Amino acid sequence: MRRRRASRSRTRSLAAAAATATAALVAGEVVRVWHRGDAPAPARPRDLLHGGGIAARQTVRVVRAGYRDGTANETAVLNLFVAFGATFAGARAVTHSIRRGNGPWRNMTIARRHIHHYVPGIGLSLLAGGLSIGLRHEQLDQWLALPFGAGAALVADETALLIELSDVYWSDRGALSIDVSLGMVTTLACLALIVRLVRRGEATLLGSPGAEPSPG
């Protein structure tokens, strides 16, 4: 019982860390756009809702423009983060649906052998990674980050099965898969933030590509 409580507490902590890192990434950009965009400074509490709505809409437009005009590295990290998080959430939703017997989803079997989703996950990651290494095309890497992130999420979601060499997905030991996946979501969110900060620092100290570096 004590081990189960400790496992649940660890999972909740990692979930909170993942949510906080993601929220900080989004909130930081909204606040930045609020200060630099058209949203009025809040003079009264009710102005927060009005100004926040304007800032949020402008942030969406900024993100779209930044996604189109950003560097390949920034886009690749963002694609990796989004693909990993969305696939992990989707995998959990599908497995819960299968367990309850709801929806069109069913377990994949070949010759009466249950094929766990880490199998296609390994295939996706190897294929995307192999193409990235073999082609060495920076612009293509940002799109290969999508299948790579999706494949990594499918593998991470069944980490406990690979470690235990047993189907412990729904047991207490299976919570390790959730812990690993949430930890990776936190890491990717922080990585996306770090890449953005580094690019901003480069623009401040070194100037835009092709420009003369600032003195001192």
Side-chain angles (χ1 to χ4, degrees), residues 10 24 31 43 63 81 130 140-141 144 146 182 190 198 200 206:
R10 182 178 64 246
V31 170
V63 169
F81 170 63
L140 186 59
D141 284 345
L144 291 174
L146 291 170
L182 291 175
C190 292
V198 169
R200 188 181 301 168
L206 305 179

Side-chain angles (χ1 to χ4, degrees), residues 89-99 105:
R92 280 282 153 176
V94 169
T95 52
H96 275 282
S97 175
I98 292 174
R99 193 184 190 202
W105 309 104

Side-chain angles (χ1 to χ4, degrees), residues 105-143:
W105 309 104
R106 297 292 183 270
N107 286 325
M108 181 186 299
T109 57
I110 297 178
R112 298 184 180 180
R113 184 181 294 275
H114 179 198
I115 306 300
H116 291 279
H117 51 268
Y118 70 78
V119 176
I122 292 173
L124 272 176
S125 296
L126 288 177
L127 179 62
L131 287 174
S132 177
I133 294 171
L135 298 176
R136 296 184 181 181
H137 193 292
E138 190 178 59
Q139 294 300 320
L140 186 59
D141 284 345
Q142 59 187 322
W143 301 114

